[in-house]
């Protein structure tokens, strides 16, 4: 009898062990499958922040991680008697354009404001702050007096005649400014927005620096509001590159709202409320958000004020802002009657041929922010073709990001350096020429074109974290250096993705942990 009991106990123990082994194998297979279906958003976050170090102008710091770059633009502003060393090159050339640079910093700052904990959890908070501060340090220099802001260093026309490393630059470094006689309310407004948003980021970490940024932001807003005009009419050389098609009213509203968030002063909120109609804030229904057109971002930021009891007095106007914000969101969801964002056969949002990915990254960011807003207010988004909950909005944003990272007909990651397959011939002067640190021999304008631009091989330096312009309307992509519409990357393409990657990484980690 005892022998039978002993055998039964042994069998039971063996059964439990085998069952645990089966469960363990199942869990391993399941988690491996889940990980295969999802991308490593934490890695994407780290690489996206690395990209901004590739775009630095000026004297590089001791902790520079992108080692194929070196100091450049060290005499910027010298001819004009002002120190304009620093800042970012916007894309694959060496002009420092103020408007897209400011929008880049605004989006980096907004990402940290919304998803700072998630960025910190991924171990990238300090790098995010460094990316913001590299831009704001430059804006402080460029704002030399209350009504003077240096708008651009370099000239796009002459710059494009040369294919050189930034360390070898021989092109014009002429600097251009806006002032009382040559206004630029759009540029002043966006720079004010960037500095106000950044002041929120640094408020607890570096109060003195935060106060300095806010001081400049307030002056710039007053300057832009008092002396109104489009900056591309004052700085004519920018028209072929970053013309302000939307005008300056969106930037002034945008700046005022960021200043309200930074200061809590009613005068800025009243500006946003009182000028909502005449400045187009509650009039324009836009299907893009970009360095030029701020309305969608403004409308979503204004909508979030409805969560606070103290803003109930402005409910009537704020709900009109929200209505326009939801038109934008419904167009991305393909739930409007008529005016929806086009999609490629592979499902990518498609706004226009040149650098389409910039609109995808900004839209993904706005959708995630509004998804969080709906979740926190326990509400749904009402569109002409039905209502949508926060999860559906989140899922769509994630799908677009997954397309960027490789879930697309080309099976290609459009974030450089991420995944097994990504563009290798990015339209970028510095990345396409041997590193200055490897070969300090001077490379001239035509020499760069002859010896490097026309090469068929991959770039010698990988522009890690850059988001290129992306595929055409049929999901086709031609990885050629001369195909600048598709293979050039810009700082404002990647900037919104910092917050996006941080959010997605956090959610994926939570899901994996909850399963365990």
């Amino acid at each position: 009898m005892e022998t039978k009991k002993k055998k039964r106990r042994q069998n039971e123990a063996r059964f439990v062990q085998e069952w645990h082994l089966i469960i363990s194998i199942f869990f391993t297979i399941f988690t491996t499958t889940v990980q295969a279906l999802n991308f490593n958003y934490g890695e994407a976050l780290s690489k996206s922040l690395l990209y901004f170090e590739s775009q630095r102008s000026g004297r590089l710091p001791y902790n520079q991680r992108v080692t194929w770059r070196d100091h450049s633009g060290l005499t910027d502003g010298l001819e004009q008697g002002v120190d304009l060393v620093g800042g970012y090159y916007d894309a694959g050339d060496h002009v420092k354009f103020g408007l897209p640079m400011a929008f880049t910093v605004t989006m980096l700052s907004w990402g940290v404001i919304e998803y700072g904990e998630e960025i910190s959890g991924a171990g990238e908070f300090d790098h995010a702050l460094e990316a913001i501060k590299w831009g704001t340090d430059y804006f402080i220099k460029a704002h030399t007096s209350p009504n003077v802001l240096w708008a651009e260093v370099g000239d796009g026309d002459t710059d494009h005649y040369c294919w050189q490393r930034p360390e070898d630059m021989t092109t014009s470094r002429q600097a251009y400014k806006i002032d009382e006689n040559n206004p630029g309310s759009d540029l002043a407004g966006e720079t004010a927005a960037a500095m106000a948003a950044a002041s929120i980021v640094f408020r607890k970490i570096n109060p003195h620096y935060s106060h300095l940024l806010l001081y400049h932001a307030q002056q710039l807003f007053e300057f832009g509001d008092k002396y109104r005009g489009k900056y591309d009419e004052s700085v004519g050389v920018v028209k072929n590159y970053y013309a302000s098609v939307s005008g300056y009213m969106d930037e002034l509203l945008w700046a005022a709202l960021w200043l309200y968030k930074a200061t809590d002063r009613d005068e800025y909120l009243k500006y946003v409320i009182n000028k909502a109609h005449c400045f187009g804030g509650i009039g324009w229904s836009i299907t893009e958000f970009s360095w030029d057109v701020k309305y969608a971002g403004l409308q979503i930021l204004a909508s979030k004020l409805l969560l606070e009891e103290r803003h109930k007095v402005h409910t009537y106007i704020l709900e009109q802002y929200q209505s326009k914000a939801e038109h934008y969101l419904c167009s991305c969801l393909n739930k409007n009657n008529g005016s929806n964002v086009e999609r490629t056969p592979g499902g990518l949002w498609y706004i226009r041929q040149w650098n389409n990915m910039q609109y995808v990254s900004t839209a993904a960011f706005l959708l995630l922010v509004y998804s969080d807003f709906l979740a926190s207010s326990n509400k749904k988004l009402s569109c002409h073709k039905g209502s949508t909950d926060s999860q559906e909005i989140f899922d769509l944003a994630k799908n677009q990001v997954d397309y960027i990272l490789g879930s697309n007909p080309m099976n290609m990651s459009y974030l450089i350096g991420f995944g097994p397959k990504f563009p290798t011939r990015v339209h970028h002067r510095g990345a396409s020429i041997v590193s200055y640190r490897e070969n300090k021999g001077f490379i001239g304008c035509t020499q760069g074109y002859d010896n490097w631009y026309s090469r068929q091989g991959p770039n010698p330096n990988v522009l890690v974290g850059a988001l290129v312009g992306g595929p055409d309307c049929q999901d086709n992509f031609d990885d050629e250096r001369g195909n600048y519409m598709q293979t050039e990357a810009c700082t404002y393409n990647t900037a919104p993705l910092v917050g996006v990657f941080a959010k997605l990484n956090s959610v994926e980690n939570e899901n994996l942990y909850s399963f365990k």
Side-chain angles (χ1 to χ4, degrees):
M1 193 72 176
E2 287 297 319
T3 307
K4 285 183 178 180
K5 283 183 179 178
K6 188 175 181 182
K7 277 189 175 180
R8 191 171 64 208
R9 283 196 298 268
Q10 287 173 342
N11 288 337
E12 286 173 352
R14 192 180 299 114
F15 174 79
V16 170
Q17 287 176 341
E18 289 174 352
W19 183 242
H20 282 165
L21 180 63
I22 290 168
I23 291 173
S24 177
I25 292 170
F26 171 78
F27 179 75
T28 302
I29 293 171
F30 179 84
T31 51
T32 303
T33 304
V34 168
Q35 288 167 354
L37 292 173
N38 292 296
F39 294 99
N40 187 336
Y41 301 115
E43 179 192 347
L45 168 62
S46 299
K47 289 183 172 178
S48 68
L49 284 165
L50 201 60
Y51 166 62
F52 294 97
E53 297 191 21
S54 299
Q55 296 303 109
R56 285 172 170 171
S57 180
R59 185 168 293 280
L60 303 185
Y62 72 93
N63 60 348
Q64 170 81 9
R65 294 178 296 161
V66 179
T67 56
W68 54 266
R69 281 295 323 283
D70 210 330
H71 311 310
S72 64
L74 299 181
T75 60
D76 284 358
L78 185 64
E79 292 177 33
Q80 287 72 36
V82 58
D83 178 8
L84 296 176
V85 176
Y88 288 113
Y89 303 121
D90 72 302
D93 51 24
H94 305 136
V95 183
K96 296 193 294 200
F97 293 103
L99 186 58
M101 193 193 306
F103 182 65
T104 294
V105 173
T106 306
M107 292 309 298
L108 284 170
S109 299
W110 194 3
V112 172
I113 291 166
E114 294 288 343
Y115 303 117
E117 287 186 12
E118 291 84 348
I119 293 170
S120 182
E124 291 295 335
F125 193 70
D126 287 345
H127 292 141
L129 295 187
E130 287 170 9
I132 293 167
K133 194 170 184 293
W134 194 268
T136 51
D137 283 351
Y138 175 78
F139 297 147
I140 291 169
K141 288 182 174 185
H143 184 215
T144 49
S145 64
N147 297 336
V148 175
L149 176 65
W150 291 87
E152 179 178 331
V153 179
D155 171 12
D157 292 341
T158 58
D159 188 271
H160 285 188
Y161 287 130
C162 279
W163 195 262
Q164 285 180 296
R165 301 174 296 196
E167 296 83 4
D168 288 327
M169 264 192 292
T170 55
T171 51
S172 168
R173 301 308 287 170
Q174 172 75 34
Y176 305 86
K177 66 181 178 180
I178 56 171
D179 55 26
E180 296 172 13
N181 299 317
N182 304 281
S185 302
D186 30 25
L187 175 60
E190 185 58 51
T191 311
M195 298 180 94
S199 77
I200 299 172
V201 171
F202 287 100
R203 185 182 288 157
K204 292 181 180 178
I205 303 156
N206 190 340
H208 174 75
Y209 189 67
S210 173
H211 180 77
L212 178 62
L213 292 175
L214 200 52
Y215 173 77
H216 281 279
Q218 290 172 309
Q219 280 194 345
L220 282 166
F221 175 72
E222 290 171 20
F223 164 46
D225 190 40
K226 185 176 181 180
Y227 300 97
R228 292 183 186 170
K230 289 174 59 180
Y231 91 116
D232 59 8
E233 292 177 356
S234 297
V235 183
V237 293
V238 80
K239 276 193 173 180
N240 290 333
Y241 303 96
Y242 289 102
S244 182
V245 179
S246 71
Y248 56 78
M249 293 178 182
D250 53 337
E251 276 88 7
L252 289 178
L253 289 170
W254 178 240
L257 188 50
W258 276 113
L259 279 164
Y260 174 64
K261 289 181 70 66
T263 64
D264 213 26
R265 285 168 56 174
D266 281 343
E267 65 189 85
Y268 295 117
L269 178 59
K270 286 177 182 176
Y271 190 99
V272 174
I273 298 298
N274 294 339
K275 296 190 182 298
H277 179 71
C278 60
F279 274 20
I282 58 176
W284 283 103
S285 296
I286 301 293
T287 55
E288 72 173 69
F289 177 48
S290 67
W291 59 265
D292 180 30
V293 188
K294 311 296 163 27
Y295 284 114
L298 162 73
Q299 291 154 355
I300 282 176
L301 202 60
S303 300
K304 293 183 69 179
L305 298 179
L306 288 164
L307 286 174
E308 299 179 47
E309 186 72 24
R310 61 186 174 136
H311 296 130
K312 279 202 168 181
V313 65
H314 300 302
T315 297
Y316 178 69
I317 295 296
L318 291 177
E319 284 183 344
Q320 291 183 67
Y321 272 111
Q322 184 180 32
S323 174
K324 298 302 179 183
E326 294 190 341
H327 177 276
Y328 171 85
L329 296 161
C330 291
S331 72
C332 292
L333 289 157
N334 200 30
K335 291 194 173 186
N336 274 336
N337 281 338
S339 58
N340 291 306
V341 175
E342 295 291 329
R343 298 192 192 188
T344 67
L348 181 71
W349 289 317
Y350 193 80
I351 302 294
R352 57 179 56 91
Q353 182 182 13
W354 196 327
N355 190 19
N356 181 64
M357 280 301 189
Q358 64 174 304
Y359 309 108
V360 179
S361 66
T362 53
F365 180 87
L366 293 186
L367 262 70
L368 287 182
V369 168
Y370 207 78
S371 172
D372 290 343
F373 167 72
L374 289 179
S376 61
S377 58
N378 198 27
K379 292 182 179 179
K380 290 189 174 184
L381 168 64
S382 294
C383 302
H384 289 294
K385 295 182 180 179
S387 63
T388 301
D389 61 18
S390 62
Q391 187 62 48
E392 185 178 345
I393 296 171
F394 174 90
D395 290 343
L396 177 59
K398 180 179 180 297
N399 287 342
Q400 295 296 311
V401 174
D402 287 350
Y403 185 110
I404 289 172
L405 295 180
S407 182
N408 56 63
M410 297 288 292
N411 292 315
M412 174 179 283
S413 167
Y414 294 106
L415 189 78
I416 305 303
F418 184 89
K421 181 184 177 185
F422 51 83
T424 60
R425 291 185 282 273
V426 181
H427 183 91
H428 189 278
R429 285 159 174 76
S432 69
I433 303 175
V434 63
S435 169
Y436 181 79
R437 296 197 179 191
E438 285 186 31
N439 180 0
K440 290 183 168 57
F442 176 77
I443 297 173
C445 285
T446 56
Q447 185 184 354
Y449 271 116
D450 293 342
N451 297 344
W452 295 98
Y453 179 81
S454 57
R455 284 195 177 195
Q456 292 302 304
N459 290 348
N461 309 303
V462 180
L463 195 64
V464 174
L467 176 61
V468 295
D472 65 15
C473 61
Q474 294 297 314
D475 299 298
N476 298 314
F477 182 81
D478 186 14
D479 185 14
E480 293 295 335
R481 205 167 290 115
N483 181 20
Y484 48 82
M485 287 190 181
Q486 293 188 319
T487 64
E488 190 167 22
C490 303
T491 57
Y492 46 87
N493 294 16
T494 296
L497 291 181
V498 171
V500 169
F501 288 145
K503 172 68 175 179
L504 295 180
N505 180 60
S506 176
V507 170
E508 286 297 311
N509 288 341
E510 286 174 11
N511 290 343
L512 196 60
Y513 181 78
S514 63
F515 177 80
K516 289 179 181 178

